[in-house]
């Protein structure tokens, strides 16, 4: 009498072989997903830091104080978010620094992705963002020249 089904004794060996072949691809795909997530999180943090810098600059009373406040606010936001930025650069456009004007903050930095180089992702990525914040129209501002 023959059995309707047959047990394959080598099925375990084939499963181990398939796992050995597919595992590196699965690991690389997971690392790519993590890398894209880290880059996107970095972009969000840089956008948030630029917005924070512009807001801090708009609350200042002079163009010089606006630049200082913007740099400090951007650095605090990036540090609080856990983004390691090498060479953070903040430039503040105070050409419209008068009641009813606006202030624009431009932020750029290079984020380190060194822990993910195994997956083929470059070790660093350049992130940049700009944000504009209005100045209050009825506020007294210090009459200082913009350098």
């Amino acid at each position: 009498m023959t059995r309707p089904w047959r047990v394959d004794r080598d099925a375990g060996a084939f499963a181990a072989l398939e796992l050995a072949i597919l595992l590196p691809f699965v690991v690389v795909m997971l690392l790519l997903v993590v890398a894209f997530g880290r880059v996107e999180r970095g972009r969000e943090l840089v956008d948030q830091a630029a917005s924070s810098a512009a807001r801090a600059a708009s609350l200042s009373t002079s163009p010089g104080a606006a630049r200082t406040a913007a740099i400090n606010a951007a650095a605090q936001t990036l540090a609080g978010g856990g983004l390691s930025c090498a060479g953070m650069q903040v430039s503040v456009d105070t050409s419209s620094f008068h009641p009813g004007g606006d202030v624009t903050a431009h932020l750029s930095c290079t984020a380190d992705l060194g822990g993910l180089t195994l997956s083929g992702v470059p070790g660093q990525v350049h992130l940049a963002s700009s944000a504009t914040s209005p100045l209050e129209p009825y506020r007294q501002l210090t009459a200082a020249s913009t350098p």
Side-chain angles (χ1 to χ4, degrees):
M1 175 182 223
T2 59
R3 295 184 182 168
W5 50 273
R6 188 176 149 202
V7 175
D8 190 5
R9 294 180 186 152
D10 295 329
F14 286 124
L17 181 62
E18 289 172 359
L19 181 65
I21 291 172
L22 292 177
L23 187 63
F25 295 114
V26 171
V27 169
V28 168
M29 294 304 287
L30 286 174
L31 286 175
L32 283 173
V33 168
V34 169
F36 289 136
R38 286 182 65 181
V39 169
E40 189 58 33
R41 173 71 176 143
R43 285 186 179 141
E44 289 175 11
L45 280 173
V46 168
D47 287 343
Q48 184 180 5
S51 178
S52 177
R55 180 67 180 148
S58 72
L59 295 175
S60 300
T61 58
S62 69
R67 285 186 181 86
T68 303
I71 292 169
N72 291 338
Q76 286 177 353
T77 302
L78 291 177
L83 182 65
S84 60
C85 258
M88 179 187 76
Q89 297 177 346
V90 179
S91 63
V92 181
D93 179 11
T94 57
S95 60
S96 298
F97 199 84
H98 54 78
D102 56 22
V103 177
T104 302
H106 304 280
L107 173 71
S108 65
C109 74
T110 303
D112 182 26
L113 299 176
L116 300 172
T117 55
L118 177 66
S119 64
V121 176
Q124 297 177 341
V125 63
H126 182 74
L127 303 170
S129 182
S130 296
T132 301
S133 184
L135 296 172
E136 298 174 16
Y138 303 111
R139 192 173 76 179
Q140 295 293 325
L141 299 174
T142 304
S145 62
T146 57

